[in-house]
Amino acid sequence: MARMILGIGSDLCDITRIERSLARFGDRFTHRVYTPGERARSDRRAARAASYARRFAAKEACAKALGTGLRLGVFWRDMEVVNMPGGRPTMRLTGGALARLADLVPEGHEPVIHVSLTDDPPMALAFVIIEARPAAPSLPR
């Protein structure tokens, strides 16, 4: 069985737009869009708005890679930017986003979500690739 790309998404986000949303709406904005883990991580950063903007772009890119956008049961907090033990970013999906991912992955495969984040103020960029790779064989008991 071969690896295959199931979806690709990218998004460009204006950091100043996120900065204005943070100033105007505060917790109403962050609690609607971001998970508690994302809020904690971004709120610790000196460049707080840039951190939120990278995550915003990642969520948009992930929704595009899923092929749904932010509709068909996929919501902002169903997609969370998390870091692997070495620090590399990936996405943790729940709810409608996880259900959509399950629909995309062929039998005998497991999903891998690759995420690249960067910013060069005033813009933040995210790129997401959803890959299916053959599932590891289960060990006999």
Side-chain angles (χ1 to χ4, degrees):
M1 287 192 268
R3 292 176 174 233
M4 61 190 87
I5 292 176
L6 303 176
I8 298 174
S10 66
D11 193 68
L12 191 61
C13 180
D14 184 347
I15 296 169
T16 56
R17 180 176 150 228
I18 298 299
E19 202 166 40
R20 285 192 304 268
S21 293
L22 290 168
R24 183 171 179 194
F25 302 109
D27 286 350
R28 244 178 60 217
F29 169 65
T30 59
H31 285 74
R32 179 174 165 255
V33 176
Y34 303 97
T35 65
E38 289 172 316
R39 293 192 308 267
R41 190 170 187 97
S42 292
D43 287 341
R44 285 194 308 260
R45 304 272 185 218
R48 182 174 178 248
S51 179
Y52 275 117
R54 286 189 302 271
R55 284 161 177 72
F56 190 94
K59 291 167 180 278
E60 288 275 9
C62 185
K64 291 172 185 175
L66 288 169
T68 59
L70 288 159
R71 56 191 181 83
L72 302 176
V74 175
F75 300 101
W76 288 110
R77 288 176 300 177
D78 289 347
M79 300 168 284
E80 179 180 19
V81 178
V82 295
N83 294 87
M84 298 176 80
R88 186 174 67 183
T90 189
M91 301 294 292
R92 178 183 300 136
L93 304 184
T94 59
L98 183 59
R100 172 63 180 158
L101 179 64
D103 289 344
L104 291 174
V105 179
E107 190 174 326
H109 288 75
E110 59 188 13
V112 179
I113 302 176
H114 304 277
V115 177
S116 180
L117 305 172
T118 191
D119 66 80
D120 187 5
M123 303 306 288
L125 173 75
F127 195 75
V128 173
I129 298 173
I130 300 174
E131 173 189 17
R133 69 174 175 208
S138 57
L139 299 173
R141 293 182 185 231

